[in-house]
Amino acid sequence: MFLGINPTEQAKNITLFQKLQATHFTLMTIAWGCHWNIVGEGFYANHEFLKELYEKEQDRVDACAERVRALAGKCPYTIQSMSELSLIPEMDNEMTFKTNSVFGVMSSAWSAVITKVRDVRSQIGEEDYASAAFLDTMLEEMEKEAWMLASFIEE
């Protein structure tokens, strides 16, 4: 047993966290693309808010990678592997970057990732307390961010 986790559970959790690492990488690139390209009213504040979001996602990519390593796994590190493992699709490269459409896309993407994190959380066994706590904290943070994103598009 590794860290009190049976080998089958350990291998499953490594795979789950590799997928989450890739998913957060994809979400980071979506936020980054929106940050680079947003136009319209409130540009500067929106540009800065999007920067905060992609920086949080950078931290989550790193935190998921560290969880993979803590479970004795190997982290994905190529664009191809991130794309193959991600639980969400990449952003359409022909997107319109007006404020309302950007925050609509971001809100949908955030909600999709929260759903995926919840799904992963439901698959973590009782014996991996650290992974469960890690995901609970992630969900709490992301739900607050999702609320903020939805607030941009509510009228």
Side-chain angles (χ1 to χ4, degrees), residues 13 19 25-26 82 91 111 126 133 140-141:
N13 291 356
K19 289 179 179 183
F25 184 85
T26 302
M82 295 294 189
M91 181 174 64
S111 294
E126 292 179 18
E140 181 181 356
E141 293 168 357

Side-chain angles (χ1 to χ4, degrees), residues 39-58:
V39 296
E41 188 175 334
F43 164 79
Y44 186 77
N46 294 334
H47 183 73
E48 289 301 305
F49 179 65
L50 290 164
K51 179 181 179 184
E52 289 175 27
L53 290 177
Y54 79 69
E55 287 175 343
K56 288 178 183 182
E57 282 305 293
Q58 284 176 323

